[in-house]
């Protein structure tokens, strides 16, 4: 039966609301990321207390479950060493353009602001590199054996 023939208040045609998916792997964060999570939980708790619409309350509760879980499982990552790793700011040149990125946790990623998750392909490719030293290419590694 077409949706056009259903009543307006018929809830069976609505999409089910699933829990927000948790990113796989460890929940590494910077201190800034941990503070942002705490602020998000506080904001949602305030919003929930003031909300009267049942559908909106359900959505806020779902978001609140996500952020409480992420906040409670967050691990502040150790400070970067002399290698590229979580929390590092990396400046690189690609196609003649100089760019700077910071490797952060999944929830604090903001590519437009230069913050990418440590699980992103670019971050993974840079992890372990040292300042001023070019990476060893796969071809060079196989030739040296």
């Amino acid at each position: 039966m077409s949706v056009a023939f259903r009543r307006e208040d018929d809830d069976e045609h609505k999409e089910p609301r699933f829990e927000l998916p948790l990113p796989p792997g460890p929940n590494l964060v910077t201190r800034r990321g941990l503070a942002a999570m705490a602020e998000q939980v506080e904001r949602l708790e305030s919003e929930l207390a003031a909300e009267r619409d049942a559908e909106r309350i359900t959505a806020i509760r779902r978001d609140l479950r996500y952020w409480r879980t992420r906040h409670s499982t967050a691990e502040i990552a150790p400070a970067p060493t002399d290698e590229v790793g979580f929390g590092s700011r990396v400046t690189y040149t690609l196609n003649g353009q100089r760019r700077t990125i910071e490797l952060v946790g999944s929830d604090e990623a903001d590519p437009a602001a230069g913050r990418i998750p440590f699980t992103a392909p670019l971050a993974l490719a840079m992890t372990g590199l040292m300042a001023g030293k070019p990476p060893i290419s796969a071809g060079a590694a196989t030739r040296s054996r």
Side-chain angles (χ1 to χ4, degrees), residues 88-130:
S88 295
R89 289 186 71 76
V90 180
T91 300
Y92 64 98
T93 304
L94 180 65
N95 298 328
Q97 288 188 331
R98 203 170 167 94
R99 299 177 184 173
T100 300
I101 58 170
E102 182 180 4
L103 280 56
V104 298
S106 300
D107 293 313
E108 56 187 313
D110 182 0
R115 293 189 300 267
I116 64 169
F118 71 101
T119 56
L122 178 60
L124 292 173
M126 291 183 170
T127 298
L129 297 179
M130 299 179 78

Side-chain angles (χ1 to χ4, degrees), residues 25-47:
N27 184 12
L28 300 179
V29 296
T30 62
R31 291 190 189 287
R32 176 186 62 230
L34 186 62
M37 286 178 178
E39 288 172 14
Q40 187 76 327
V41 167
E42 189 176 312
R43 182 187 66 75
L44 288 167
E45 286 172 343
S46 296
E47 215 176 295

Side-chain angles (χ1 to χ4, degrees), residues 44-120:
L44 288 167
E45 286 172 343
S46 296
E47 215 176 295
L48 183 61
E51 189 59 56
R52 298 292 169 245
D53 179 60
E55 195 169 313
R56 184 74 186 118
I57 287 172
T58 301
I60 294 170
R61 283 183 177 155
R62 181 191 63 172
D63 291 349
L64 192 52
R65 282 190 301 274
Y66 175 86
W67 287 108
R68 281 180 175 157
T69 299
R70 296 301 283 170
H71 186 255
S72 68
T73 61
E75 302 172 35
I76 295 179
T81 59
D82 56 346
E83 295 183 346
V84 173
F86 186 92
S88 295
R89 289 186 71 76
V90 180
T91 300
Y92 64 98
T93 304
L94 180 65
N95 298 328
Q97 288 188 331
R98 203 170 167 94
R99 299 177 184 173
T100 300
I101 58 170
E102 182 180 4
L103 280 56
V104 298
S106 300
D107 293 313
E108 56 187 313
D110 182 0
R115 293 189 300 267
I116 64 169
F118 71 101
T119 56

